[in-house]
């Protein structure tokens, strides 16, 4: 039971890193220009690609960091926390975390920018690598899968049930999420700095 709760807790953290609120805005924007069937295909394809990318980093991320680039996981926390803090600050200031380039073919958006960086962004990738290092691959994979499923469900709910979403309401909601995102980013940076300090202290 404790393992299940731990996975759910990690999945929630991963979900925050993915940030479903931005996907609500995305689907709302797409509804104005594309057919529902095309958006539905985009949602499935983008979340599948996002999951595969995060799973790939969960498997190989720690090896790449330590064996190839010789980067400590705490340094990654600092960098990922900074990126997350910056994303949250932009959301707080502008009420949005994304810009959508107009495309005639909606499926061209599935890999970029929807799957990455909107789903598998720097913060989510950092979290996938960190979860594998701290909890193991099975734990990280389960957390990633649950977070991706919830993200896809959120996008489908927006597509079929929320037909008239006020952009003002979305802006306020995203600003609130942005504040929490900044706090999480700051916490990640603090944890990374403390980890680096403890390593340096142990080395001396």
């Amino acid at each position: 039971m404790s393992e299940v709760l731990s996975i759910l807790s990690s999945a929630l953290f991963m979900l925050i890193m993915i940030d479903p609120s931005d996907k609500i805005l995305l689907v709302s924007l797409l509804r104005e220009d594309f057919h529902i069937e095309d958006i539905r295909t985009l949602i499935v394809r983008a979340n599948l690609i996002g999951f595969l990318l995060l799973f790939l980093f969960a498997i190989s991320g720690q090896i790449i960091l330590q064996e190839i680039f010789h980067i400590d996981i705490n340094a990654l926390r600092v960098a990922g926390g900074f990126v997350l803090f910056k994303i949250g600050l932009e959301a707080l200031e502008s009420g949005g975390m994304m810009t959508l380039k107009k495309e005639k073919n909606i499926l061209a958006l599935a890999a970029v920018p929807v799957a990455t960086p909107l789903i598998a962004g720097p913060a989510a990738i950092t979290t996938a690598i960190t979860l594998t290092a701290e909890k193991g691959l099975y734990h990280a994979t389960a957390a990633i899968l649950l977070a991706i499923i919830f993200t896809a469900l959120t996008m489908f709910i927006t597509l079929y049930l929320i037909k008239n979403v006020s952009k003002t309401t979305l802006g306020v909601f995203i600003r609130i999420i942005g504040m929490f995102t900044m706090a999480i980013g700051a916490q990640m940076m603090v944890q990374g700095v403390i980890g680096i300090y403890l390593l340096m202290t142990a080395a001396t």
Side-chain angles (χ1 to χ4, degrees):
M1 186 64 180
S2 60
E3 178 66 17
V4 173
L5 292 176
S6 179
I7 291 175
L8 290 176
S9 177
S10 298
L12 178 61
F13 188 69
M14 175 61 75
L15 184 65
I16 294 172
M17 298 300 102
I18 294 174
D19 182 28
S21 67
D22 221 16
K23 315 310 170 285
I24 294 174
L25 176 61
L26 169 69
V27 173
S28 299
L29 292 173
L30 291 176
R31 281 179 62 95
E32 298 176 1
D33 299 312
F34 298 103
H35 296 295
I36 287 182
E37 292 77 11
D38 293 332
I39 301 174
R40 183 176 59 208
T41 303
L42 171 89
I43 292 173
V44 173
R45 185 176 297 186
N47 280 279
L48 179 59
I49 294 173
F51 171 76
L52 292 175
L53 286 172
L54 291 175
F55 179 66
L56 178 63
F57 276 101
I59 293 175
S60 60
Q62 191 175 7
I63 297 174
I64 294 173
L65 285 176
Q66 295 182 351
E67 301 298 330
I68 299 177
F69 294 105
H70 304 287
I71 298 174
D72 184 76
I73 192 69
N74 292 298
L76 185 65
R77 283 196 183 99
V78 174
F82 175 77
V83 172
L84 194 61
F85 185 90
K86 185 174 181 295
I87 292 172
L89 180 61
E90 291 174 354
L92 189 63
E93 292 177 342
S94 64
M97 298 185 188
M98 57 163 286
T99 55
L100 188 63
K101 181 180 178 181
K102 291 292 184 180
E103 291 278 358
K104 293 183 179 179
N105 181 10
I106 185 176
L107 298 182
L109 302 172
V112 180
V114 184
T116 178
L118 290 182
I119 295 176
I125 290 171
T126 300
T127 303
I129 297 172
T130 304
L131 283 176
T132 303
E134 295 180 348
K135 307 284 188 176
L137 181 59
Y138 170 79
H139 184 107
T141 302
I144 293 169
L145 180 60
L146 288 174
I148 289 292
I149 289 173
F150 189 88
T151 300
L153 287 175
T154 300
M155 296 174 75
F156 276 118
I157 289 172
T158 304
L159 178 61
Y160 288 106
L161 299 183
I162 306 177
K163 296 183 179 180
N164 297 308
V165 181
S166 167
K167 291 185 178 180
T168 301
T169 302
L170 280 174
V172 171
F173 178 65
I174 291 176
R175 281 185 170 92
I176 294 173
I177 296 296
M179 185 180 299
F180 285 103
T181 302
M182 288 175 63
I184 294 171
Q187 184 179 17
M188 286 178 65
M189 286 189 285
V190 170
Q191 289 176 341
V193 170
I194 292 174
I196 292 172
Y197 173 77
L198 292 176
L199 284 175
M200 293 176 63
T201 303
T204 56

